[in-house]
Amino acid sequence: MVNSNRVDHYSGSVHANQEHAATAPVPAAVSGVKMTSLAVHSVCLPPQKSTLQKLRHRLSEVFFPDDPLHGFKNQSRFRKLILALQFFFPIFEWAPNYSFTLLRSDVVSGLTIASLAIPQGISYAKLANLPPIIGLYSSFVPPLIYSVLGSSKHLAVGPVSIASLVMGTMLTEAIPDNQNPILYLKLAFTATFFAGVFQATLGLLRLGFVIDFLSKATLLGFMAGAAVIVSLQQLKGLLGITHFTTSMQLIPVLSSTIQHRNEWSWQTYVMGFCFLAFLLTTRHVGMRKPKLFWVSAAAPLVSVVLSTLLVTLFKSKLHGIATIGHLEKGLNPPSSNMLYFHGHFLRVALKTGIITGILSLTEGIAVGRTFASLNDYQVDGNKEMIAIGVMNMAGSCSSCYVTTGSFSRSAVNANAGAKTVVSNIIMASTVLVTLLFLMPLFYYTPNLILAAIIITAVIGLIDYQSAIRLWKVDKLDFVACLSSFFGVLMISVPMGLAIAVGVSVFKILLHVTRPNTGVLGNIPGTQIYQNVSRYREAKRVPYFVILGIESPIYFANSTYLQERILRWIREEEEWLAANNGSSLKCVIIDMTAVTGIDTSGLAMVKELKKMLEKRSLQLVLANPGGSVMEKLHTSNILESFGLEGLFLTVDEAVADISSAWKA
């Protein structure tokens, strides 16, 4: 029997002699594996393309997987102009169809999230060690800009806890806010500007995959650790401690709390824990009964009003309770002249901006996509990056610090019936009224209520149920989660984030450098070959060892794969010897899951073939993909494989080679 395959090196394709293969005698059975008469199909090369065409296709797949310009095809110039405006400014897409019914829903949801955004804005500014008024400024300008550029209907924009915590921690380590508050404020605005530039650049260059390096597991641990640290830091406000550590590690915070117990104010902690219990109860009610979302949404503002009234009415008896104090009335003052682009602390501002930019971008896009999927519409991640980046750049010039989409406020926004981003405009308008007319009312607002609001907001970041699921589903993800969690608790917030990124990258490298391989066997009565350790009914084929590789073959894993394949062969020979099996004659590598190969991988295949030939073993490749096949052909490796080294499927390889041996 002469093998039916032949390699035509002049035409650049691999052919099969169909007629000859169809009439080839095939063994009736090979050790219980039923063989049927089978035509051997050709393994073709992909269509020839120029280098420019290949580069264009590759760049398109990397940067434009969603084909954002498909809507512009076959359109008039005027229509293309309209589509371009809608593409860059989504407000032109929904505004022409806006109605009074939609406005009514958006007004209700906008007022609802404003009742949550005002106290949270003040609280998160304190968390970032910034003046409370900055939190309100950051709840006015950014939502207006997002309403023009954003594509999410339910994203509620403003300051968030994680970005506030990281900014406060990193800037305080460089320059304590109480030593030089003006410089601290300059660095905060500058970090916000760099965050915006970084975010908008990622969107313009369509590099959103960069933020995917923060896996859900590492973010889960990071946010939980940050939530614990944030909550413990609020003991200063809840207990009325005057001198408190600026450290963000678990041990120093607990030590400072105990060491300064003589500063505890019973009036402060009694009122503080009462309001904390009230806020946690309303939060529980809102989670259990979504229809009562307004209870948890209104609770922070109600707590601010009640606590302010109590301190105002009984200030003579509650003199030990610290309050916010005087807040300036008026709109956002310009801050472009405060941006810090030179000097010793520029690196600190740049590093803080990039880290907070990544975190806020990750949270904002994740929240936007979550509510988009729940309401059956799509959010363009790259547009969102541009919108968030532009609003942060504009915010840095109008006395705002880093903002993004908040999960808690967005959830309230969606539950309140928001239909479009007009709810953000209503919220910003409410904040505007507050800035112009209501600021004196916050003079007697106690700090303890801000601490209680922060604890209530961040406690939802501790998702222990997801951590349990990680343990059940993926132990490595669980280890990554714990690593980032304890990194934040024991070392620092930035180091915890660095550990989270490091673990994520390590996981990627582990999967790339140590891909899955396995021995395949035939499922009786079928032409299917599966892993013998997974499918007990899968039978080994005598004289063959069939190996499956489940990854691209690159420089990072080529040495490992060569060693692992040789080990599989050795173990198979030992198994055959122990079970009185037939000797090994042929090694088939199923390349169905091999999506790519580089020069190191090609060299490995060539070297492996030489090593197996010295041991009188035949190497056969089955079902290489288009790009893999092209590189095998271009590198002339197929010449060394000859006529019996390449098949379309494992089943055809087994049948054809067995027929040749029998003949």
Side-chain angles (χ1 to χ4, degrees):
M1 169 64 190
V2 179
N3 185 24
S4 58
N5 277 13
R6 63 185 179 86
V7 181
D8 189 342
H9 296 290
Y10 297 98
S11 63
S13 61
V14 180
H15 302 278
N17 188 332
Q18 301 290 349
E19 294 180 0
H20 188 75
T23 59
V26 181
V30 182
S31 183
V33 179
K34 187 177 180 181
M35 311 300 293
T36 58
S37 181
L38 191 67
V40 179
H41 298 86
S42 61
V43 183
C44 298
L45 287 168
Q48 290 187 354
K49 293 181 180 179
S50 66
T51 302
L52 183 60
Q53 288 175 324
K54 292 178 183 178
L55 179 62
R56 183 185 302 170
H57 174 74
R58 187 58 182 163
L59 292 177
S60 174
E61 290 299 310
V62 172
F63 298 107
F64 303 97
D66 54 343
D67 190 14
L69 301 179
H70 70 281
F72 291 82
K73 296 175 182 177
N74 303 321
Q75 299 290 342
S76 64
R77 290 185 178 181
F78 178 75
R79 182 58 182 165
K80 286 181 179 179
L81 176 62
I82 298 298
L83 290 174
L85 287 174
Q86 292 177 349
F87 183 81
F88 291 105
F89 303 97
I91 190 173
F92 288 104
E93 186 174 351
W94 55 263
N97 300 319
Y98 199 70
S99 64
F100 178 77
T101 304
L102 296 176
L103 177 62
R104 185 171 56 187
S105 299
D106 288 336
V107 167
V108 173
S109 57
L111 292 174
T112 305
I113 57 174
S115 67
L116 183 61
I118 292 171
Q120 279 192 350
I122 296 173
S123 303
Y124 292 157
K126 294 281 285 184
L127 185 59
N129 297 320
L130 293 167
I133 192 68
I134 300 296
L136 291 181
Y137 291 158
S138 302
S139 301
F140 172 55
V141 172
L144 294 177
I145 296 174
Y146 182 82
S147 64
V148 176
L149 299 175
S151 58
S152 173
K153 300 176 183 178
H154 299 93
L155 197 69
V157 172
V160 293
S161 57
I162 294 298
S164 302
L165 168 68
V166 172
M167 175 173 282
T169 303
M170 296 184 70
L171 294 184
T172 302
E173 287 179 355
I175 172 170
D177 60 297
N178 56 355
Q179 289 186 8
N180 195 337
I182 300 300
L183 178 58
Y184 188 92
L185 200 57
K186 288 182 178 181
L187 293 180
F189 293 150
T190 307
T192 302
F193 177 81
F194 284 133
V197 171
F198 177 73
Q199 293 164 335
T201 302
L202 288 182
L204 288 170
L205 299 180
R206 304 183 69 82
L207 298 174
F209 59 84
V210 171
I211 64 175
D212 293 334
F213 279 95
L214 285 174
S215 68
K216 291 184 178 180
T218 54
L219 276 178
L220 181 68
F222 173 77
M223 290 191 296
V228 172
I229 287 296
V230 168
S231 300
L232 292 176
Q233 272 285 340
Q234 303 318 305
L235 291 175
K236 174 184 178 181
L238 281 179
L239 300 176
I241 300 175
T242 305
H243 303 89
F244 199 72
T245 180
T246 58
S247 176
M248 299 299 289
Q249 292 86 37
L250 177 65
I251 302 302
V253 171
L254 292 178
S255 299
S256 180
T257 304
I258 296 172
Q259 289 174 1
H260 297 98
R261 58 183 179 273
N262 59 314
E263 297 181 4
W264 294 10
S265 168
W266 70 268
Q267 299 164 322
T268 302
Y269 62 71
V270 167
M271 181 182 289
F273 282 102
C274 286
F275 276 105
L276 178 60
F278 168 72
L279 290 169
L280 292 175
T281 302
T282 56
R283 178 180 180 275
H284 182 72
V285 170
M287 291 177 60
R288 284 295 184 92
K289 298 182 178 180
K291 291 184 179 180
L292 298 178
F293 69 91
W294 55 269
V295 174
S296 58
L301 187 60
V302 170
S303 300
V304 169
V305 173
L306 287 178
S307 62
T308 303
L309 285 174
L310 286 174
V311 174
T312 304
L313 295 174
F314 302 100
K315 56 186 174 183
S316 59
K317 296 181 180 180
L318 300 176
H319 53 82
I321 296 179
T323 61
I324 292 179
H326 177 69
L327 295 177
E328 290 287 343
K329 289 196 299 182
L331 294 178
N332 299 35
S335 57
S336 55
N337 60 331
M338 298 183 70
L339 296 181
Y340 185 96
F341 293 129
H342 64 278
H344 176 67
F345 296 103
L346 179 59
R347 180 181 295 181
V348 175
L350 179 61
K351 183 171 68 173
T352 304
I354 291 177
I355 292 178
T356 54
I358 291 175
L359 286 174
S360 58
L361 203 57
T362 303
E363 181 174 355
I365 292 178
V367 172
R369 286 176 174 169
T370 298
F371 288 100
S373 63
L374 292 175
N375 293 275
D376 299 323
Y377 68 93
Q378 287 186 330
V379 167
D380 189 325
N382 290 292
K383 286 184 184 178
E384 290 295 285
M385 290 185 220
I386 296 173
I388 294 173
V390 170
M391 76 182 189
N392 277 318
M393 285 190 286
S396 68
C397 299
S398 55
S399 300
C400 305
Y401 76 108
V402 174
T403 54
T404 188
S406 164
F407 185 82
S408 59
R409 290 193 290 276
S410 299
V412 170
N413 195 29
N415 289 331
K419 302 299 182 183
T420 68
V421 288
V422 171
S423 59
N424 275 288
I425 298 176
I426 302 300
M427 179 193 71
S429 302
T430 308
V431 173
L432 171 63
V433 172
T434 303
L435 287 169
L436 291 177
F437 306 109
L438 304 180
M439 297 313 296
L441 300 179
F442 291 99
Y443 185 89
Y444 287 108
T445 300
N447 289 330
L448 61 91
I449 201 63
L450 303 181
I453 290 172
I454 290 174
I455 293 175
T456 307
V458 302
I459 201 170
L461 299 176
I462 305 175
D463 191 355
Y464 66 92
Q465 292 179 336
S466 294
I468 294 173
R469 283 195 295 270
L470 286 179
W471 170 255
K472 293 179 179 178
V473 175
D474 192 323
K475 302 296 189 294
L476 187 59
D477 268 353
F478 181 76
V479 171
C481 176
L482 285 186
S483 299
S484 56
F485 176 75
F486 286 109
V488 172
L489 280 183
M490 299 300 179
I491 306 175
S492 69
V493 174
M495 280 303 299
L497 181 61
I499 291 173
V501 175
V503 171
S504 298
V505 172
F506 172 76
K507 185 180 178 183
I508 295 172
L509 293 175
L510 188 63
H511 284 298
V512 170
T513 60
R514 296 295 183 268
N516 290 330
T517 58
V519 175
L520 307 183
N522 177 255
I523 296 180
T526 72
Q527 299 175 1
I528 300 172
Y529 287 77
Q530 290 291 343
N531 196 306
V532 295
S533 63
R534 180 183 174 192
Y535 293 87
R536 294 184 178 180
E537 65 269 28
K539 304 295 183 182
R540 287 175 165 86
V541 182
Y543 307 108
F544 293 88
V545 58
I546 305 167
L547 303 176
I549 299 176
E550 300 178 4
S551 82
I553 304 176
Y554 289 142
F555 66 93
N557 61 21
S558 58
T559 302
Y560 166 80
L561 284 174
Q562 178 176 308
E563 294 173 351
R564 194 66 185 91
I565 290 171
L566 293 175
R567 178 183 164 189
W568 278 122
I569 295 171
R570 186 185 72 245
E571 291 176 350
E572 191 71 7
E573 289 175 337
E574 292 173 354
W575 184 88
L576 291 171
N579 292 274
N580 297 320
S582 55
S583 61
L584 203 60
K585 292 185 178 181
C586 181
V587 178
I588 300 177
I589 297 181
D590 183 4
M591 304 187 74
T592 303
V594 179
T595 57
I597 191 169
D598 66 356
T599 52
S600 298
L602 293 170
M604 184 276 288
V605 173
K606 190 173 183 179
E607 179 66 22
L608 180 65
K609 180 171 177 56
K610 290 181 180 179
M611 296 173 70
L612 295 183
E613 284 177 347
K614 291 180 180 179
R615 299 169 60 174
S616 300
L617 293 174
Q618 180 182 356
L619 178 63
V620 173
L621 306 180
N623 196 25
S627 62
V628 176
M629 183 64 192
E630 187 177 22
K631 291 184 179 180
L632 287 171
H633 174 72
T634 306
S635 63
N636 296 325
I637 286 180
L638 292 179
E639 293 180 359
S640 64
F641 276 80
L643 301 178
E644 298 181 340
L646 195 65
F647 290 86
L648 186 61
T649 67
V650 172
D651 193 61
E652 290 183 7
V654 172
D656 195 66
I657 294 172
S658 299
S659 299
W661 290 343
K662 186 175 181 179

